[in-house]
Amino acid sequence: MTATSARGTVSASAPAVPRAGRRAARFREALVGWGFITPNLILMSLFLFAPILWAIQLSFQETRGFGDPDWVGFDNYVKMAGDPVFWRSLANTMVFTIVTVPIDMAAGLGLAVLLNSALPARGVFRTMIVLPMVISGVATGMIAVTMFYQTNGIINKVLQAIGLDPIAWQSEGAPAMISVMIVAVWLRVGFNMVIYLAGLQGISPELYEAARIDGATRWQQFRAITVPLVGPSTFFLLIMNVIASFQVFDLIFVMTGGGPGDATSVLVTYAYRNGFQIREQGYGAAIGVVILIITLIFTFIQWKTSRTRDLVE
Amino acid sequence: MTISNKRVIGGAALLAASTVALTGCAGFGGGSSSDESAGDGMSGSITFTTWASESEETAFGELIDQFEAEHEGATVNLNVVPYDQMFSNIDAQLSSGDAPDVFRVDYGNLGVYSSQDQLLDVSSYFSDDEIDDFVPAMWEAVSYDGVPYGVPHQTDVSALLVNLDMLESAGFDTSTLPTTQDDAWTWDEFAAVAGDLREALPSDKYPFVYNWQLGGAPRWFSWLFQADGRFLESDGTTPAIDSPAGEQALDFTKSFFENDWVPPTSSTKATTYADSLFAEETTAMAFIGSFLVPDMDYFNEFEWTSVPMPRDVRGATELGGNALVATKDTANPDLAAAFLKYMVSADAMNAFCAATNELPTRTDLSGDAIEFAVRPDVMPVFVEQATTIEPQDVQQVTSPAMAAINTALQDQLEAAFLGGQSTADTLANLSAAIEEAAQ
């Protein structure tokens, strides 16, 4: 009642602020808002939206990138449906995603919890783990090639030194995929850790104190407090990791070139192969559009189903 | 197509494979300077884009200085880029109308550009006598439908390098090694040597390695040509690989892996070059291009020499090397053509090939006319090996479809070598891929 009468009071005194004045204020506010986002919108339109539209157009054409393109309608998509290498690349991408994303996130959370505690020289450890983030994927891939080099690489040398058989990292499909996954996890775990660290530092220590008073074990504290309260970080990382996995390219291109056979071929390496090596740019663009659609669908589903994305303490 | 001098793996261009980048990116600059080039045709400025090894870059620089000295008012801007970025960027620049005036291109990629009407027709700049100065097969390599779209700057071919120390320690008498095409090993003799080495070498060492990795899959065609086979009929569109010669070449090369004659990591999609395996003494022999001779000499501490490639019905090797071309829309076609002509003049070609251990394309520089800077003792084998290239080989490997055929060849040979795919299936798949690519 009080509130109603208060609103009524305000309403009664409204003529003190003219309607035209409020409109002008709203207009100015909107103008400021547009002013802030316009540079971003221009850049995104120029470097993101326009190229995506161009790629979609390209996917309906047969072109080498120069000369006159031919409009072929859905031919590139029809060809894709019957292309076994495309399906193999899609399957490889899914396997890569399903394996690396949970490991990345679990390891990232574990390291974040560890390095969020009173650990000696934790700054040094944090730096060491985050360091791979600042190295380019190509450079990492080249380092990894020397490490996983089948005949003289350090990993096989170590395995042989301790009496084990060398592993066919470069000539057999499964070991090749495992080598790529190991390097990908190493490369990304630092990013996961940083995001989780930020999430952990937003959790009030009083919650843990209260849990300890109630007799909760460390595992119970982790399960009942930490995991739920880093929900927004988990949601963000899940989206980012899945997108990154669907777009993995540099590591695989440098380490295995998609081989042996098509064992490590993923969607982006296959798109690159078609777009730039065979010069079937229309087909390459069509594969790119499929990657875009898959990542958008996954992001949409995650957005709709995640219950913890907006969770705050 | 056979590719020479691509010594860099990876690079920033790899990142261009994201969805957005699939639409093409402009890449490094290099368009013609039209404002400056409106002179009399022999003055002005042109841009020359190439990839280059250290010795090639030095040689290009010196020749450009010489050209500029001879053409007052002319400037050639040399733009050296990594090999891996070269053609994706040239494609993008052609697409955006910002291509360099002159660029270097291997003979396989040249067909892609000439067939799409992207290159300057240089026929009006060369008389018949001047054309006769070139090895006919090499002039054929820069021509499409009988029209020359560039100049054959150099070639390079593979021969077999032999680690003398490893062969001797395996009990092989190296004084019996072949030295000329006349006494080159037959396939059977080569197989016997490989078999003997396999027995003598430890399990982690291998008799030889073949250089078909990292875009080099078309080097497999050397075996096909040696068996007197072909992959395209003379009409340029009908596949011819599914043949007895194709079967023979594929069976023989599959046996390299089945018999452990080559490292399992050296297949067509491997990420390590053959010369690395030879240099680290993982293999006793290696099929290597002549352009790598300077590297082999600088980095190896063992004794090695070169011998001819094995021969079957005939001798054969791949058509390596590169042409120089001008873009059709260059703002200064006369200056661009003059530069191309200068670069393939006898003196310039002699200087370039001598400094880089590459082979000439002019008849007046054949034989021992060139004094190679590094290991001149091993170069006669390469020079003679180049004579095994026949016009029909050139016609096939300069097909505009080679980029697509190369990829199919990588995939199918890898499936045959490592995946256990049968010879019949491999040839059938290759035949279908060649038919689709050559349409």
Side-chain angles (χ1 to χ4, degrees), chain B residues 361-380:
Chain B
T361 58
R362 294 178 63 97
T363 51
D364 52 0
L365 294 177
S366 59
D368 56 0
I370 294 179
E371 291 181 21
F372 294 101
V374 182
R375 289 298 300 266
D377 58 307
V378 301
M379 292 305 293

Side-chain angles (χ1 to χ4, degrees), chain A residues 238-239 242 246 293-303:
Chain A
L238 190 61
I239 300 290
V242 169
F246 267 89
I293 291 169
I294 291 172
T295 47
L296 284 178
I297 289 172
F298 185 84
T299 307
F300 179 77
I301 292 171
Q302 277 300 307
W303 183 260

Side-chain angles (χ1 to χ4, degrees), chain B residues 71-245:
Chain B
H71 297 81
E72 196 175 344
T75 306
V76 178
N77 299 306
L78 178 62
N79 185 23
V80 178
V81 301
Y83 179 83
D84 289 317
Q85 295 176 26
M86 180 75 194
F87 295 113
S88 55
N89 281 286
I90 290 288
D91 290 0
Q93 289 172 324
L94 284 169
S95 172
S96 62
D98 190 34
D101 302 272
V102 176
F103 64 95
R104 189 186 199 196
V105 60
D106 61 81
Y107 297 111
N109 271 308
L110 190 149
V112 174
Y113 297 121
S114 58
S115 65
Q116 294 288 308
D117 198 23
Q118 299 296 310
L119 301 179
L120 182 70
D121 172 358
V122 298
S123 51
S124 63
Y125 298 97
F126 287 85
S127 68
D128 288 346
D129 286 346
E130 287 171 329
I131 292 171
D132 288 342
D133 287 337
F134 294 92
V135 175
M138 302 310 301
W139 193 257
E140 178 72 20
V142 295
S143 301
Y144 178 73
D145 277 348
V147 176
Y149 286 100
V151 291
H153 183 227
Q154 43 85 208
T155 184
D156 53 67
V157 300
S158 290
L160 185 60
L161 299 198
V162 175
N163 181 327
L164 295 171
D165 298 343
M166 280 181 83
L167 254 68
E168 281 164 7
S169 62
F172 192 91
D173 179 5
T174 54
S175 67
T176 63
L177 287 171
T179 54
T180 67
Q181 283 297 316
D182 288 338
D183 62 352
W185 283 324
T186 63
W187 281 12
D188 288 341
E189 289 167 339
F190 176 68
V193 172
D196 290 346
L197 283 171
R198 177 65 285 163
E199 285 187 15
L201 293 170
S203 63
D204 61 343
K205 307 287 183 191
Y206 297 85
F208 68 95
V209 58
Y210 196 76
N211 52 348
W212 44 34
Q213 306 79 22
L214 292 160
R219 292 192 175 109
W220 179 82
F221 289 138
S222 297
W223 303 100
L224 180 68
F225 296 155
Q226 286 161 19
D228 207 21
R230 49 189 306 151
F231 63 96
L232 271 177
E233 296 290 1
S234 53
D235 62 6
T237 55
T238 309
I241 198 166
D242 202 350
S243 63

Side-chain angles (χ1 to χ4, degrees), chain A residues 51 54-55 64-66 138 149-152 170-171 249 253-256 260-262 268 272-273 278-279 284 288, chain B residues 11 14-15 17 19-20 22-23 87 91 95 109 113 116 118 264-265 269 271-272 277 280 282 404 407 410-411 414:
Chain A
W54 188 14
R64 291 180 186 277
F66 47 82
V138 173
Y149 193 44
Q150 194 168 317
T151 48
N152 274 323
Q170 295 174 310
S171 61
F249 174 76
F253 194 84
V254 174
M255 283 183 69
T256 65
D262 298 312
V268 186
Y272 179 85
R273 191 170 178 76
I278 311 178
R279 289 195 175 89
Chain B
L14 307 186
L15 301 173
T19 305
V20 172
L22 280 170
T23 61
F87 295 113
D91 290 0
S95 172
N109 271 308
Y113 297 121
Q116 294 288 308
Q118 299 296 310
T265 56
K269 289 172 86 172
T271 52
T272 308
L277 292 159
E280 70 190 29
T282 295
T407 313
Q410 280 179 43
D411 292 340
E414 175 111 336

Side-chain angles (χ1 to χ4, degrees), chain A:
Chain A
M1 285 299 289
T2 310
T4 306
S5 62
R7 279 204 297 273
T9 309
V10 171
S11 179
S13 61
V17 183
R19 185 170 293 174
R22 280 187 318 215
R23 272 207 303 270
R26 275 205 300 271
F27 178 71
R28 273 196 303 274
E29 193 180 0
L31 210 60
V32 171
W34 280 106
F36 278 119
I37 65 169
T38 298
N40 240 357
L41 273 181
I42 291 172
L43 289 173
M44 287 178 72
S45 301
L46 207 60
F47 296 109
L48 190 63
F49 301 134
I52 287 174
L53 292 176
W54 188 14
I56 292 169
Q57 183 200 20
L58 197 61
S59 73
F60 294 111
Q61 295 176 338
E62 186 177 319
T63 171
R64 291 180 186 277
F66 47 82
D68 297 325
D70 294 327
W71 191 264
V72 294
F74 285 92
D75 280 8
N76 287 323
Y77 293 95
V78 173
K79 178 181 172 185
M80 201 185 305
D83 180 355
V85 183
F86 168 77
W87 290 109
R88 176 72 194 264
S89 302
L90 178 61
N92 286 342
T93 310
M94 305 288 274
V95 169
F96 182 87
T97 304
I98 289 166
V99 173
T100 59
V101 172
I103 294 175
D104 264 327
M105 293 178 66
L109 182 56
L111 287 167
V113 170
L114 193 66
L115 296 179
N116 196 39
S117 57
L119 189 74
R122 66 179 178 176
V124 176
F125 286 117
R126 282 180 185 178
T127 307
M128 281 170 60
I129 294 164
V130 172
L131 206 56
M133 282 172 61
V134 300
I135 306 173
S136 89
V138 173
T140 308
M142 292 176 79
I143 294 166
V145 166
T146 60
M147 291 173 66
F148 286 96
Y149 193 44
Q150 194 168 317
T151 48
N152 274 323
I154 188 168
I155 292 177
N156 272 358
K157 290 283 183 198
V158 169
L159 290 175
Q160 286 172 297
I162 58 175
L164 298 173
D165 289 332
I167 296 173
W169 300 111
Q170 295 174 310
S171 61
E172 285 181 18
M177 184 56 112
I178 290 169
S179 71
V180 170
M181 287 173 174
I182 289 170
V183 180
V185 167
W186 176 73
L187 200 62
R188 290 189 200 153
V189 74
F191 175 73
N192 285 261
M193 187 198 75
V194 167
I195 300 297
Y196 272 129
L197 260 179
L200 286 175
Q201 291 182 351
I203 301 174
S204 168
E206 284 135 21
L207 285 174
Y208 291 103
E209 193 179 337
R212 278 197 298 275
I213 291 167
D214 287 344
T217 63
R218 281 192 175 277
W219 173 247
Q220 285 171 324
Q221 289 173 41
F222 175 76
R223 205 161 51 92
I225 300 174
T226 307
V227 172
L229 290 183
V230 293
S233 300
T234 301
F235 173 71
F236 169 75
L237 284 173
L238 190 61
I239 300 290
M240 295 304 289
N241 280 317
V242 169
I243 291 175
S245 293
F246 267 89
Q247 293 186 340
V248 65
F249 174 76
D250 42 11
L251 270 185
I252 291 179
F253 194 84
V254 174
M255 283 183 69
T256 65
D262 298 312
T264 57
S265 173
V266 290
L267 287 176
V268 186
T269 57
Y270 192 53
Y272 179 85
R273 191 170 178 76
N274 281 285
F276 294 103
Q277 293 182 320
I278 311 178
R279 289 195 175 89
E280 288 188 359
Q281 294 205 338
Y283 190 48
I287 298 169
V289 170
V290 168
I291 298 169
L292 178 69
I293 291 169
I294 291 172
T295 47
L296 284 178
I297 289 172
F298 185 84
T299 307
F300 179 77
I301 292 171
Q302 277 300 307
W303 183 260
K304 284 291 180 192
T305 57
S306 175
R307 286 177 299 171
T308 57
R309 65 173 190 264
D310 295 324
L311 189 65
V312 289
E313 189 189 331

